[in-house]
Amino acid sequence: MPKNKVQFQQGLSLTQFLTQYGSEELCRSALFRMRWPQGFQCPECGHGGYCEILSRKLYQCNHCHSQTSLISGSIFASTKLPLKTWFLGIYFVTQSKDGISSLNLARTLGISATASLRMKHKLQQVMKERDDMNSLNGLILIDDAYWGGKKRDGKRGRGATGKMPFVAALSITPDGLPYH
Ligand SMILES: [Zn+2]
């Protein structure tokens, strides 16, 4: 199964982090590369040609005209927060050894307590799904949601044909090795 990762290196400073992921545009292009490492592929028909509907941040397939959003099917779609806020939240949640309280997270990110709680909850949910967090040695998987639409057999969900697992990982292992 292909896994696509965002790796934030160990001890990545906030300054470095912001240089790499500090704007919505940077986050979107990082996410695009994770989701479609070989270039855009229509989740409905597999076609590679697309056009961007900029106003609605959608990608439309040139072949079957179905529309896909970059974040659909991922935890990022669970709130209305911008991607850069999510990325920064993940940075704070994973880089601090003792974790960060949702109140503190809310203040740091400038988001509501409710949004912060939901973000933390989502992240913890994903983390809990991993069997042995500790053996990952600080490396945390953000999301294993499955991207894509249904294939011709009409199946949906995790077992559906043609679904690609989307795993974004924050690699903060001491040797900086990506998780496999
Ligand atoms: Zn298509």
Side-chain angles (χ1 to χ4, degrees):
M1 290 272 217
K3 283 179 181 162
N4 309 295
K5 306 173 193 78
V6 170
Q7 287 155 24
F8 301 161
Q9 297 84 352
Q10 184 199 18
L12 187 68
S13 74
L14 184 56
T15 318
Q16 289 168 314
F17 175 87
L18 290 174
T19 307
Q20 288 179 44
Y21 307 104
S23 77
E24 195 63 10
E25 216 33 62
L26 286 168
C27 292
R28 281 186 68 82
S29 65
L31 204 56
F32 188 97
R33 288 196 304 274
M34 276 191 287
R35 184 168 182 181
W36 296 297
Q38 258 78 55
F40 177 82
Q41 204 186 13
C42 171
E44 290 294 328
C45 75
H47 192 73
Y50 70 100
C51 58
E52 253 183 285
I53 304 169
L54 289 171
S55 55
R56 294 168 58 210
K57 292 181 180 159
L58 291 173
Y59 302 94
Q60 179 171 300
C61 171
N62 285 345
H63 182 69
C64 73
H65 305 296
S66 66
Q67 296 176 345
T68 310
S69 116
L70 191 57
I71 59 169
S72 67
S74 80
I75 51 169
F76 306 120
S78 64
T79 67
K80 289 196 161 41
L81 297 173
L83 272 180
K84 63 175 182 181
T85 308
W86 265 105
F87 273 49
L88 197 56
I90 290 160
Y91 176 86
F92 284 119
V93 167
T94 56
Q95 296 271 324
S96 67
K97 266 213 167 80
D98 308 316
I100 181 170
S101 74
S102 62
L103 192 62
N104 198 354
L105 189 65
R107 283 190 192 129
T108 311
L109 299 179
I111 60 178
S112 73
T114 318
S116 163
L117 259 178
R118 192 170 304 157
M119 177 187 277
K120 256 199 98 172
H121 176 75
K122 279 282 166 191
L123 289 174
Q124 279 164 347
Q125 212 178 343
V126 172
M127 292 172 194
K128 213 162 62 183
E129 282 172 18
R130 312 310 307 176
D131 305 319
D132 44 355
M133 273 294 299
N134 291 334
S135 74
L136 295 182
N137 205 6
L139 186 140
I140 289 154
L141 300 168
I142 303 171
D143 189 10
D144 65 350
Y146 281 59
W147 297 100
K150 58 177 182 179
K151 278 251 173 175
R152 285 193 190 85
D153 60 9
K155 276 197 266 177
R156 276 193 181 276
R158 297 202 159 192
T161 333
K163 292 260 185 177
M164 192 174 76
F166 170 80
V167 180
L170 299 184
S171 173
I172 48 173
T173 54
D175 49 9
L177 286 176
Y179 168 75
H180 291 289

